[in-house]
Amino acid sequence: MRLKDFKLVIVVALISSYALAQQTISGVISHADTGEGIADVQIYNKTTGLLAESDASGFYEFQTDKKELQLVFFSYEFEVVEHLLFIQKDEQVNVRLKPLGVTLSEVQIASRKEKVFEISRLKDVEETAIYAGKKTEVILVEQSMANLASNNARQIYSQVVGLNIYQNDDAGLQLNIGGRGLDPNRTANFNTRQSGYDISADVLGYPESYYTPASEGIKEIQVIRGAASLQYGTQFGGLINFKMKAPNPNKPFELITRNTVGSYGLYTNFTSVSGTKNKLSYYSYFNYKKGDGFRANSEFESKNVFAHVGYQFNDNTSLTGELTYMRYLAQQGGGLSDNMFYNDPYQSNRERNWFQVDWLLYNLKFAHKFSDQTNFTFNFFGLNASRDALGYRSNRVDQADPLKERDLIKGDFKNYGFETRLLSKYQLLDKDATFLIGAKLYKADNAQQQGAGSDGYGADFNFYNDQFSGYKNQSQFELPNFNMSVFGENIVYINDKLSITPGFRFEYIRTQSDGFYKNINFDGAGNVIFEETLSDNQDFERSFVLFGIGGSYKPNSALEVYGNLSQNYRSVTFSDINIVNPTFRINENITDEEGYTADVGVRGAINSMVSYDVGVFGLFYNGRIGVLTKKESTNRTINERGNIGDARMYGIESLFDFNLKKIVGLTNDFKFNYFINSSFVNSEYTASEEVGIKGNKVEFVPEVNIKTGVKFGYKNLLANVQYSYLSEQFTDASNSVSSGISGIVGEIPSYDILDLSLSYSYKRFKLETGINNVLDNAYFTRRATGYPGPGIIPSSPRNYYATLQVKF
């Protein structure tokens, strides 16, 4: 898309006028018995969704230009109140809610949550964010009936269409998800955030997420596809935002503790405290995990602390701070070749490979409401983290460890930045409009070193370059990055049913590299015959503008037609350039990727019986980076990482959720739902300078991706059965079927998994249990090019878990 094509759209988007024609609806929601204000009551327009939430005093307020509203006042602890309002001027509607006279069963609680879920999908505007016309998905984590103790992504993300998931089964220490042909490795093709701020190692230089928040501490997960590139960053995948649980607004102190045991020595503890006292609120948790792993040499231990403190100065102004610390150590059993996997998928011939992560995140958020129409937020965030990888890596993964010095790679990540947003609602040509403008500044000072580790067995993350001076893989780099961006979007409502949302994002990126690597040659006996230190200093500046446009048409409450088209961009990471890897080499001409994504779909709900989201998408890459198998002039076969060529992925994605309870007429004591999530994708390389690539399938694209399941409940007993199937997929552009001795490229065969989950509640106690991979299928989802491999990384056989939760 060219700049001139968007000039008129952007000019219109930047016009604002405050000649408001809206009415203000306000009031106080109070307890019917005590008269005290009730916090966090949700006020809905029954046909269009959430309008407002009450504050700590029970006060709420919103604006509307409608003449009639069917209001719904909703809280889990109180009876639902509906109120038909005819509007001619500013109105005050005070509501008194009666507490529920009986204790709800788990089925009734789940039903109430489902009611909220149906009408609280991400609406057009939330605080200082715009979602109109975008493909968005929201996961209510507690409703997922997943194994939260081990962050089981296959279950948690079961109703997000088209995701491809690496399943390492290390209690969810890292999240590895992709989709639509994007490499799932450490979710590096998404912009990952927690409560709206970045959590990856380096957003542009190293966008991998070594930290994943504990699922038991997450309220919801927001997934916005490629059109999120304008507001949140340029990634092709879009945004994943972990919205953490909020403080309990109705108690000064609440404690929840959860203890889990499972197969292969799994033990986890999650303990949270929460409360609100006057204007001060807090939420904090500690999460501990340990296990032996389902393979030898796969033990792990993790400690994670999260703290949130908020202060509400008044109805319009708040300040919140969050601090996250995680440290984990994991032994890595290494990868397998194809022959090794089919002989024994759970074997390991690496007992000296270790991985350690130390992650400290901080964020300070200031939010202010200038008026009923204008909101402002300012986030200051930062990261101080490291990750250390130690072990023996060979491109011949079946080779025994020679018990010599190990390869050690250390990365240190120090970054900070701020993001500020201003959102305002106004009238444009007598029609509603909403304008968002924002800016982000990001500065990173990263360091990376590779060299000789110890020749011992333990997790010793110190360098021994002096002792092993002839070690071949030696390098050291300072890797500063600077990024500045300005972005904006504008919703223009053509009428009450149709809206158009144009947007832009300006990016300035400066990537630098200052360091050296060693070039060492050996004779036939392994003696050093030549050694030199080579400097490698780079300074790469670029600036560009991305454009996009979305549209939404809502003819009635049961149907929305949406579509969007947005440009994307992905910077080359410094690991693409500076890491010495024995399993592949880097093409010296590797450059950034660019392209665009498009979505068109329909979504909605029909009479509370069926909710649906069906759409088609296209993802178009220029200069896609991947791994290619090549033969050199010496007839030696090597794997090379570089820009393979141009590619396109397109397909159909759908999610249907059937409320069988209502369809067959069961009573309120029952819960009965069936869902099917399906993705059918085609892909191909449309152009490449490499021989034999054009027309090949794109990596990480299973043509068929289905997750389906049944949720059933009676009173306090809930059950969930889920079945997942993915067809075969390639891992390199050459479409290799097998990889011989290395295991890093080749086909990932089709696989299917059956999971079963159960829960039972009694007063303050809750018991959760389940069996994963009920059919005990041997399968793998990943061929790693580096750690935790290289080679095939098998997934877990049949395993169980049991969790006891107590709430005080």
Side-chain angles (χ1 to χ4, degrees):
M1 295 182 186
R2 295 169 295 178
L3 180 61
K4 66 179 183 179
D5 296 329
F6 287 85
K7 282 183 178 179
L8 182 59
V9 172
I10 297 303
V11 168
V12 171
L14 295 176
I15 296 174
S16 65
S17 166
Y18 287 88
L20 297 172
Q22 295 188 328
Q23 308 301 328
T24 298
I25 312 300
S26 63
V28 175
I29 303 171
S30 58
H31 195 292
D33 297 332
T34 66
E36 295 181 352
I38 305 173
D40 289 347
V41 177
Q42 297 169 325
I43 300 94
Y44 292 93
N45 176 346
K46 195 169 184 179
T47 59
T48 62
L50 186 66
L51 296 170
E53 292 188 19
S54 62
D55 63 16
S57 65
F59 178 78
Y60 73 92
E61 185 178 76
F62 64 89
Q63 286 73 43
T64 182
D65 62 350
K66 296 184 182 301
K67 301 303 180 184
E68 180 181 322
L69 285 176
Q70 181 72 38
L71 297 179
V72 179
F73 297 84
F74 183 94
S75 173
Y76 289 125
E77 292 83 15
F78 296 86
E79 293 183 1
V80 175
V81 170
E82 297 192 17
H83 182 85
L84 179 61
L85 182 65
F86 297 97
I87 305 167
Q88 294 182 345
K89 59 182 180 178
D90 292 352
E91 298 278 357
Q92 186 172 18
V93 180
N94 297 324
V95 177
R96 297 174 70 85
L97 299 185
K98 295 180 180 180
L100 291 170
V102 295
T103 301
L104 292 179
S105 71
E106 281 298 299
V107 164
Q108 291 168 325
I109 291 173
S111 297
R112 290 168 71 85
K113 287 180 179 178
E114 284 177 358
K115 180 179 180 181
V116 173
F117 178 70
E118 288 175 2
I119 58 179
S120 65
R121 295 177 185 272
L122 289 177
K123 56 184 186 293
D124 288 0
V125 176
E126 295 201 6
E127 196 178 42
T128 54
I130 287 177
Y131 301 114
K134 296 175 175 60
K135 182 173 178 61
T136 65
E137 293 150 305
V138 178
I139 303 165
L140 296 183
V141 175
E142 288 188 345
Q143 187 182 316
S144 64
M145 281 289 290
N147 180 3
L148 302 183
S150 64
N151 280 10
N152 189 313
R154 182 175 67 243
Q155 297 175 340
I156 294 172
Y157 295 85
S158 64
Q159 295 198 12
V160 178
V161 295
L163 288 187
N164 194 0
I165 303 170
Y166 283 164
Q167 300 168 35
N168 296 341
D169 294 289
D170 53 1
L173 296 181
Q174 293 180 23
L175 178 66
N176 296 278
I177 62 175
R180 300 178 172 181
L182 302 173
D183 188 345
N185 187 44
R186 298 193 182 100
T187 319
N189 285 285
F190 284 90
N191 181 271
T192 53
R193 299 191 174 198
Q194 175 177 284
S195 301
Y197 55 89
D198 293 299
I199 63 174
S200 58
D202 183 305
V203 175
L204 294 168
Y206 202 68
E208 299 186 5
S209 299
Y210 290 97
Y211 155 75
T212 301
S215 297
E216 292 154 304
I218 300 173
K219 178 182 179 181
E220 67 182 39
I221 303 172
Q222 301 168 343
V223 182
I224 300 97
R225 296 305 177 111
S229 61
L230 303 183
Q231 283 188 64
Y232 296 100
T234 61
Q235 296 284 19
F236 281 84
L239 170 75
I240 293 179
N241 182 42
F242 302 101
K243 188 174 181 180
M244 308 304 288
K245 288 182 177 177
N248 187 323
N250 301 313
K251 291 182 179 180
F253 181 79
E254 179 186 69
L255 185 145
I256 298 174
T257 183
R258 293 166 54 89
N259 289 276
T260 300
V261 295
S263 302
Y264 313 111
L266 175 68
Y267 170 73
T268 78
N269 171 267
F270 177 89
T271 300
S272 67
V273 292
S274 173
T276 300
K277 183 68 173 178
N278 298 324
K279 296 182 178 182
L280 185 68
S281 61
Y282 65 93
Y283 176 74
S284 180
Y285 68 73
F286 174 75
N287 185 214
Y288 176 77
K289 297 180 181 181
K290 72 171 184 177
D292 300 325
F294 62 90
R295 302 169 63 200
N297 310 316
S298 298
E299 63 182 86
F300 58 86
E301 183 179 44
S302 168
K303 301 169 184 176
N304 177 208
V305 178
F306 171 81
H308 165 101
V309 178
Y311 190 81
Q312 190 75 35
F313 292 95
N314 52 52
D315 291 341
N316 296 325
T317 307
S318 65
L319 182 67
T320 58
E322 291 189 357
L323 187 70
T324 304
Y325 178 71
M326 183 186 71
R327 183 179 181 87
Y328 75 77
L329 175 67
Q331 190 176 15
Q332 298 186 323
L336 308 177
S337 67
D338 291 59
N339 287 336
M340 293 173 70
F341 176 82
Y342 290 112
N343 287 332
D344 179 3
Y346 310 119
Q347 64 179 292
S348 167
N349 63 350
R350 299 286 181 265
E351 55 183 322
R352 303 192 305 143
N353 290 14
W354 297 87
F355 192 79
Q356 178 177 272
V357 169
D358 197 274
W359 221 253
L360 176 66
L361 285 161
Y362 53 89
N363 179 71
L364 190 67
K365 179 182 178 181
F366 175 77
H368 180 69
K369 188 176 182 180
F370 286 104
S371 69
D372 294 335
Q373 289 75 41
T374 304
N375 287 333
F376 172 80
T377 57
F378 178 89
N379 270 297
F380 175 78
F381 58 89
L383 169 72
N384 192 335
S386 66
R387 68 103 177 90
D388 305 324
L390 172 71
Y392 172 66
R393 295 186 300 162
S394 169
N395 65 345
R396 189 182 182 102
V397 297
D398 61 355
Q399 185 175 11
D401 186 342
L403 305 181
K404 296 181 179 179
E405 68 273 17
R406 293 172 285 179
D407 189 64
L408 174 60
I409 304 173
K410 296 176 73 72
D412 291 302
F413 312 103
K414 294 180 176 64
N415 60 61
Y416 64 88
F418 70 80
E419 184 174 84
T420 183
R421 292 165 169 255
L422 179 71
L423 183 142
S424 186
K425 298 178 180 179
Y426 65 96
Q427 291 277 302
L428 176 63
L429 303 178
D430 296 325
K431 300 294 183 181
D432 289 344
T434 301
F435 174 62
L436 167 69
I437 188 73
K440 181 179 178 181
L441 184 144
Y442 184 85
K443 190 177 188 305
D445 293 302
N446 305 299
Q448 189 167 272
Q449 185 175 355
Q450 183 175 12
S454 79
D455 58 359
Y457 282 81
D460 179 357
F461 296 103
N462 295 304
F463 284 104
Y464 291 85
N465 291 328
D466 293 337
Q467 182 176 341
F468 305 104
S469 57
Y471 187 71
K472 187 172 184 179
N473 302 334
Q474 295 188 50
S475 64
Q476 186 171 346
F477 287 91
E478 299 293 327
L479 299 155
N481 281 335
F482 178 77
N483 172 225
M484 181 182 69
S485 59
V486 178
F487 55 90
E489 293 197 28
N490 199 108
I491 309 176
V492 179
Y493 290 95
I494 308 302
N495 53 46
D496 289 343
K497 299 177 180 179
L498 177 64
S499 67
I500 297 175
T501 308
F504 74 96
R505 185 180 186 92
F506 167 78
E507 288 273 355
Y508 169 79
I509 304 171
R510 185 181 183 187
T511 304
Q512 297 172 272
S513 173
D514 182 8
F516 67 86
Y517 64 93
K518 288 192 174 184
N519 183 23
I520 302 175
N521 293 332
F522 303 87
D523 62 18
N527 301 308
V528 176
I529 56 174
F530 176 78
E531 178 178 339
E532 64 177 338
T533 300
L534 301 174
S535 297
D536 185 8
N537 302 323
Q538 301 181 39
D539 193 338
F540 184 24
E541 286 187 274
R542 58 271 206 207
S543 59
F544 52 89
V545 181
L546 302 181
F547 293 104
I549 189 167
S552 172
Y553 178 64
K554 301 175 183 177
N556 53 58
S557 60
L559 173 66
E560 178 188 2
V561 182
Y562 65 91
N564 57 76
L565 178 66
S566 295
Q567 292 177 289
N568 300 91
Y569 180 92
R570 188 172 190 270
S571 171
V572 169
T573 67
F574 52 75
S575 63
D576 284 333
I577 302 171
N578 296 315
I579 285 289
V580 178
N581 191 317
T583 61
F584 65 88
R585 72 182 183 194
I586 301 293
N587 188 310
E588 61 183 10
N589 297 316
I590 193 170
T591 61
D592 298 339
E593 301 170 306
E594 59 184 29
Y596 60 95
T597 57
D599 283 285
V600 177
V602 294
R603 58 193 172 199
I606 304 173
N607 296 328
S608 299
M609 292 186 179
V610 181
S611 62
Y612 62 93
D613 189 342
V614 182
V616 296
F617 77 90
L619 193 156
F620 304 87
Y621 260 106
N622 294 323
R624 178 184 169 92
I625 293 174
V627 175
L628 184 65
T629 302
K630 288 185 172 183
K631 278 195 174 182
E632 296 185 314
S633 57
T634 60
N635 213 31
R636 184 173 71 101
T637 300
I638 58 100
N639 296 304
E640 182 180 86
R641 182 171 174 82
N643 297 96
I644 305 298
D646 299 342
R648 67 183 178 196
M649 288 74 75
Y650 53 93
I652 301 173
E653 298 173 333
S654 66
L655 172 65
F656 291 92
D657 194 325
F658 299 90
N659 185 352
L660 300 181
K661 166 188 164 181
K662 189 164 186 177
I663 293 173
V664 302
L666 296 176
T667 68
N668 287 335
D669 285 334
F670 288 91
K671 172 185 173 65
F672 193 16
N673 281 74
Y674 168 73
F675 81 91
I676 180 166
N677 164 356
S678 61
S679 171
F680 303 93
V681 184
N682 201 350
S683 68
E684 67 173 328
Y685 279 97
T686 58
S688 177
E689 295 181 0
E690 305 291 345
V691 177
I693 298 302
K694 184 177 180 180
N696 281 5
K697 298 291 185 182
V698 179
E699 313 94 293
F700 313 112
V701 183
E703 293 187 351
V704 180
N705 186 339
I706 295 175
K707 296 179 181 66
T708 185
V710 175
K711 294 180 181 180
F712 182 82
Y714 178 71
K715 293 188 176 179
N716 287 334
L717 178 65
L718 296 173
N720 180 45
V721 180
Q722 178 180 311
Y723 175 78
S724 306
Y725 170 81
L726 272 77
S727 62
E728 64 277 358
Q729 56 186 291
F730 296 108
T731 57
D732 71 324
S734 303
N735 289 182
S736 306
V737 176
S738 62
S739 60
I741 61 174
S742 73
I744 72 166
V745 296
E747 187 180 71
I748 295 176
S750 62
Y751 61 88
D752 63 331
I753 312 117
L754 183 67
D755 299 317
L756 172 65
S757 304
L758 298 167
S759 75
Y760 181 78
S761 295
Y762 178 74
K763 295 183 178 179
R764 66 179 60 188
F765 301 97
K766 186 175 184 179
L767 178 65
E768 301 172 11
T769 187
I771 303 174
N772 299 321
N773 193 2
V774 173
L775 303 178
D776 200 23
N777 290 338
Y779 69 104
F780 65 92
T781 62
R782 181 178 188 182
R783 292 180 182 266
T785 58
Y787 292 108
I792 291 171
I793 308 299
S795 297
S796 177
R798 182 189 299 125
N799 63 91
Y800 78 91
Y801 67 93
T803 300
L804 177 63
Q805 172 182 298
V806 185
K807 180 184 291 189
F808 300 93

